[in-house]
Amino acid sequence: MAFPCPHRLLILIVTLIAAAEADLSATGGAKKKTFVFRVDHRAKPSVFPTHAQWYASAAFSGGGATPLPLLHVYDTVFHGFSASLAPAHAAVLSAHPSVLAVFEDRLRRLDTTRSPQFLGLRNQDGLWSDSDYGSDVVVGVLDTGVWPEHRSFSDRNLGPVPSRWRGACETGPGFPVSLCNRKLVGARFFSKGHDASFVGGGGGINQTVESRSPRDADGHGTHTASTAAGRHAFRASMAGYAAGIAKGVAPKARVATYKVCWKGSGCLDSDILAGFDRAVADGVDVISVSIGGGDGIASPYYLDPIAIGSFGAVSRGVFVASSAGNDGPTSMSVTNVAPWLTTVGAGTIDRTFPADVILGDGRRLSGVSLYSGKPLTGSKYPLVYPGKSGGLSASLCMDNSLDPKMVGGKIVICDRGRSPRVAKGHVVKDAGGVGMILANGLSNGEGLVGDAHVLPACAVGYSEGDVIKAYVASAAVPTATIQFRGTVLGVKPAPVVASFSGRGPNGLTPSILKPDLIAPGVNILAAWTGAAGPTGLDSDSRRTEFNILSGTSMACPHVSGAAALLKSAHPDWSPAAIRSAMMTTGRLDDNRRKPMTDESTGKPATPFDIGAGHLNLDRAMDPGLVYDIATQDYVAFLCAIGYDPRTLQVITNAPTACPAKRPAAEDLNYPSISVTFPAAAGAAANQSRTVRRTATNVGSMAEAVYKARVEMAEGQGLAVTVTPRKLAFTAGARRQRFKVSVTATAEGDGGPRFAYLVWSDGSHEVRSPIVVSWIQPL
């Protein structure tokens, strides 16, 4: 898929900015905005000792005595700066010959114990043993900061910090340098983008609840950091739920936290980019980014700071994991789709927290809850659905929408949506309700996540919600109660694809399958901040040492921790090799040994839901073959999708030329294969395409022979041919090339078709999903 010529698009953007400036001037003056400038750093005149001095000078800004008000100066994964300027001034600077690109700062959102065992990790065995639990690897976490006193970040019995580490522990109110240690080896914060974005307006950093320091007032960053690399913490639980030993995937890996997100106000691109820049300069080995898109629309890679920052990191050997977003099960909802990122969706684990709604007629309906207060007393309570007479706002239990006369002393049914799930409970409680049943809508399906509600409450799926509402409508005196059943282990089936997990296809470049894989992301127990209650709401005065959260934000750090273990066990592996090992060994079945299912439909999951499968670290340690990708391969991919040399430099940070013959995007040496055909009246037969791959033998035996086989369900209407069908590796030939030809052999309805290519040597199974889809031509 080709894009419009990017520098022309930039001219269009600048023209629109200028027009907006004219409109603002007509109404009394231009409001400043934050812009990020990508600059050709090689053009710096030698008279300036540093790039920062050049950017701030009159020579750069076009005259005038006032220097540019620089916020961040980037010099590692990205060269340039961010500044708060009037749009007209930004338009002038965009014409500077050394400015490669300009984009306006954008607000993004966070994609918000037993899981290591669920991934196949066991004490003193396998990958944990072989990697020494990741002790020589540093995991950088871009998030809301850290609660450093938490025992998950204890450095007891840890050896010295790796000598190559160049990071620092930045201080602030209540955050002395002594809070860092041999476990928490670095802590920084980035707020200049926020300060500039919210100046003179609402929002921004609330210093009554959050200090300008790396300290986490939100909880999200502490949770993700400890999921990736938290130490063993005995007697852990959230108010008795999920009791046991909490530990991260890489318990001895070092943690460096980069606070780029702030409580209640999100994450600004300019601060995120500064976090990437600093993390790589500090010497992290892995970066974990549980941050999604701000508006659900994928930006071209050259206008996406996460894509740009991660490219700079990966090109320097740093593995980057990112969350796939929480807008599923909608098709094409996956975010963070750049091919150098490892994009992680979410699945369930074999643990749940059941609660039952018992209706007055004796029917028992299953749900989930993490409520830990006093249970409901008595047998049954009046049951009411305010949406029946109070309209949409009341059905959603929005602020000030409930009539205390209607809901007082009753269990209230609230529809999910518009406001946080736990906030609805506050509304019910304030109106005098004694309990809440939170009913999924059609878009949420049967997917359930537990919440630490402030009153007795239970979440139920869409079908159960309809049953309860029908009961209320038909019963003369509807009643109900809620029964809480604690923690249940060994749940089947598991894993199941979480209904909220971002789904493919990749809306930006369909030739790259996203997400790459899924990992545990539902009801995950991990460390929590001491500054917020388990709901994260300001009105929640409760405090808990650990909390249970769900989201692709929770899945991402599982893969980050896994990457730390693999990097420690295989220090010579590239980020692409590490991703390949995880993808080609991913599991496709659940704990019933049946195909994994989709929570939202109950049907078998497809590669658009799970990518290559569910993370399986027991096999990823020894994948047999990997599909490696070098920086120049990513450049060839960008050339294939139509990027010109100037736009390439925006991403690559160096002058780059495309080959005379345009490469094919689907030939990127990716561990999955995605083939697209132009859509016609239907899925026409006899359309064919050939893709190329190179496999590298990383097994313990240099002499190895792998044979190909293709797996697909009946009726797919595909013919897949692999040439050659046998790969013979030797000590002198550890890399072998092959071709895969895919032909649509029968007409269909235009829907996607799926198959798998498997290379096997008798002991390794190297599996790649094959996706065939039809898209409308531009």
Side-chain angles (χ1 to χ4, degrees):
M1 178 181 291
F3 293 93
C5 185
H7 66 266
R8 291 179 183 172
L9 180 59
L10 180 59
I11 292 171
L12 175 61
I13 292 170
V14 171
T15 301
L16 292 173
I17 290 173
E21 162 62 12
D23 290 341
L24 286 167
S25 297
T27 59
K31 181 181 178 181
K32 289 185 176 181
K33 299 181 178 181
T34 299
F35 295 91
V36 178
F37 294 80
R38 174 66 131 165
V39 181
D40 183 354
H41 64 288
R42 299 168 307 121
K44 179 183 74 67
S46 59
V47 67
F48 296 103
T50 67
H51 283 87
Q53 290 173 312
W54 177 39
Y55 300 150
S57 70
F60 190 93
S61 62
T66 304
L68 281 178
L70 302 181
L71 300 175
H72 295 295
V73 174
Y74 312 107
D75 58 10
T76 303
V77 301
F78 182 93
H79 279 277
F81 62 91
S82 58
S84 180
L85 304 168
H89 195 177
V92 171
L93 288 176
S94 70
H96 191 288
S98 298
V99 172
L100 299 172
V102 182
F103 43 89
E104 188 177 329
D105 215 0
R106 185 171 61 148
L107 189 66
R108 296 177 183 261
R109 65 178 184 271
L110 296 161
D111 284 329
T112 230
T113 71
R114 182 173 167 80
S115 46
Q117 292 95 315
F118 193 68
L119 296 177
L121 294 172
R122 298 292 186 272
N123 289 338
Q124 307 301 324
D125 188 29
L127 188 50
W128 261 350
S129 175
D130 292 342
S131 66
D132 189 25
Y133 301 84
S135 64
D136 57 346
V137 174
V138 180
V139 179
V141 182
L142 274 61
D143 214 293
T144 63
V146 66
W147 194 259
E149 297 90 350
H150 200 286
R151 55 191 171 118
S152 292
F153 306 111
S154 166
D155 67 352
R156 184 178 180 182
N157 297 326
L158 275 183
V161 176
S163 59
R164 68 183 186 283
W165 177 244
R166 301 180 295 275
C169 192
E170 295 181 354
T171 62
F175 201 103
V177 69
S178 59
L179 290 177
C180 290
N181 55 28
R182 296 189 306 277
K183 175 66 175 180
L184 182 62
V185 297
R188 298 183 185 271
F189 66 99
F190 304 86
S191 63
K192 293 178 180 178
H194 265 79
D195 295 341
S197 180
F198 291 104
V199 65
I205 299 170
N206 182 353
Q207 296 191 64
T208 63
V209 298
E210 185 165 28
S211 67
R212 292 183 182 276
S213 78
R215 184 172 294 280
D216 181 12
D218 179 272
H220 192 276
T222 300
H223 197 282
T224 56
S226 63
T227 299
R231 299 298 304 276
H232 290 73
F234 295 88
R235 296 183 299 278
S237 74
M238 198 290 289
Y241 287 100
I245 303 173
K247 50 192 169 295
V249 177
K252 287 188 179 181
R254 318 304 170 121
V255 173
T257 184
Y258 298 84
K259 183 176 178 178
V260 299
C261 304
W262 297 80
K263 183 178 176 67
S265 55
C267 329
L268 268 296
D269 279 345
S270 58
D271 293 334
I272 295 170
L273 194 53
F276 267 111
D277 207 57
R278 191 65 258 172
V280 175
D282 286 347
V284 302
D285 301 290
V286 174
I287 293 178
S288 190
V289 189
S290 292
I291 302 172
D295 50 18
I297 300 174
S299 297
Y301 303 129
Y302 60 89
L303 294 177
D304 182 356
I306 290 181
I308 295 171
S310 60
F311 184 95
V314 169
S315 66
R316 289 165 175 78
V318 179
F319 179 93
V320 183
S322 59
S323 49
N326 295 340
D327 292 329
T330 305
S331 176
M332 210 178 291
S333 55
V334 63
T335 62
N336 293 321
V337 296
W340 45 88
L341 284 167
T342 299
T343 308
V344 189
T348 64
I349 60 174
D350 61 343
R351 178 181 67 196
T352 191
F353 311 103
D356 294 333
V357 175
I358 306 172
L359 301 180
D361 61 8
R363 283 181 289 175
R364 183 181 291 261
L365 302 168
S366 298
V368 299
S369 181
L370 292 169
Y371 174 70
S372 60
K374 293 182 179 179
L376 291 171
T377 57
S379 56
K380 300 288 193 301
Y381 293 82
L383 180 64
V384 62
Y385 177 47
K388 184 177 180 181
S389 58
L392 178 62
S393 181
S395 72
L396 294 166
C397 298
M398 304 294 287
D399 284 341
N400 303 313
S401 67
L402 300 183
D403 182 354
K405 295 179 181 178
M406 175 187 290
V407 306
K410 300 177 181 179
I411 294 175
V412 182
I413 303 168
C414 298
D415 289 332
R416 184 172 167 182
R418 293 281 184 92
S419 62
R421 299 182 300 271
V422 289
K424 298 177 188 294
H426 273 279
V427 173
V428 172
K429 185 176 181 181
D430 289 345
V434 299
M436 178 181 71
I437 297 172
L438 183 64
N440 276 2
L442 179 61
S443 62
N444 306 117
E446 307 309 316
L448 298 176
V449 294
D451 290 302
H453 293 286
V454 297
L455 83 171
C458 173
V460 298
Y462 174 69
S463 58
E464 287 86 352
D466 272 1
V467 169
I468 296 170
K469 291 172 188 176
Y471 166 70
V472 170
S474 62
V477 183
T479 61
T481 191
I482 303 172
Q483 186 178 84
F484 304 96
R485 297 199 282 127
T487 303
V488 174
L489 304 178
V491 173
K492 293 183 179 182
V496 172
V497 184
S499 61
F500 58 76
S501 185
R503 310 303 171 94
N506 182 337
L508 198 57
T509 43
S511 54
I512 301 298
L513 176 64
K514 292 287 183 172
D516 291 312
L517 72 168
I518 66 170
V522 178
N523 295 332
I524 303 302
L525 178 76
W528 193 242
T529 177
T535 65
L537 299 174
D538 292 339
S539 55
D540 189 354
S541 61
R542 299 172 296 172
R543 293 295 180 265
T544 180
E545 188 184 17
F546 294 87
N547 202 3
I548 296 171
L549 298 181
S550 299
T552 55
S553 277
M554 285 63 253
C556 172
H558 280 87
V559 168
S560 305
L565 295 179
L566 291 171
K567 182 71 174 178
S568 184
H570 301 285
D572 58 331
W573 281 10
S574 70
I578 291 172
R579 174 178 59 193
S580 177
M582 295 185 202
M583 290 178 64
T584 61
T585 60
R587 62 186 291 188
L588 302 178
D589 59 351
D590 58 30
N591 54 4
R592 305 170 303 173
R593 297 187 178 180
K594 294 182 179 181
M596 205 180 314
T597 56
D598 180 349
E599 187 178 49
S600 66
T601 65
K603 297 179 180 179
T606 76
F608 283 157
D609 307 317
I610 62 174
H614 189 281
L615 178 63
N616 183 3
L617 278 176
D618 192 40
R619 290 184 56 211
M621 173 69 177
D622 180 22
L625 306 178
V626 296
Y627 296 96
D628 210 354
I629 305 176
T631 300
Q632 60 266 28
D633 299 319
Y634 291 124
V635 172
F637 164 81
L638 294 172
C639 292
I641 63 173
Y643 283 16
D644 63 18
R646 183 178 178 87
T647 308
L648 283 173
Q649 191 173 349
V650 173
I651 298 171
T652 64
N653 207 29
T656 306
C658 290
K661 182 180 179 181
R662 177 183 285 192
E666 57 266 27
D667 283 345
L668 181 66
N669 201 38
Y670 219 68
S672 56
I673 296 171
S674 180
V675 172
T676 61
F677 296 123
N686 299 319
Q687 292 178 293
S688 183
R689 184 153 297 167
T690 298
V691 301
R692 294 160 179 80
R693 292 292 186 269
T694 301
T696 301
N697 181 18
V698 295
S700 57
M701 302 295 292
E703 305 278 341
V705 176
Y706 282 78
K707 296 179 181 180
R709 72 175 187 271
V710 175
E711 300 174 345
M712 72 177 82
E714 292 184 5
Q716 288 291 308
L718 294 178
V720 180
T721 304
V722 183
T723 309
R725 296 191 64 83
K726 181 187 294 185
L727 300 178
F729 297 90
T730 66
R734 298 188 71 90
R735 294 164 59 89
Q736 295 290 345
R737 298 178 180 178
F738 62 92
K739 298 178 182 180
V740 179
S741 296
V742 180
T743 302
T745 59
E747 290 193 9
D749 59 2
R753 304 175 189 178
F754 308 103
Y756 289 91
L757 165 64
V758 182
W759 288 103
S760 177
D761 67 346
S763 59
H764 300 94
E765 296 270 302
V766 186
R767 184 183 307 270
S768 295
I770 300 173
V771 176
V772 179
S773 52
W774 283 261
I775 60 174
Q776 293 293 337
L778 293 176

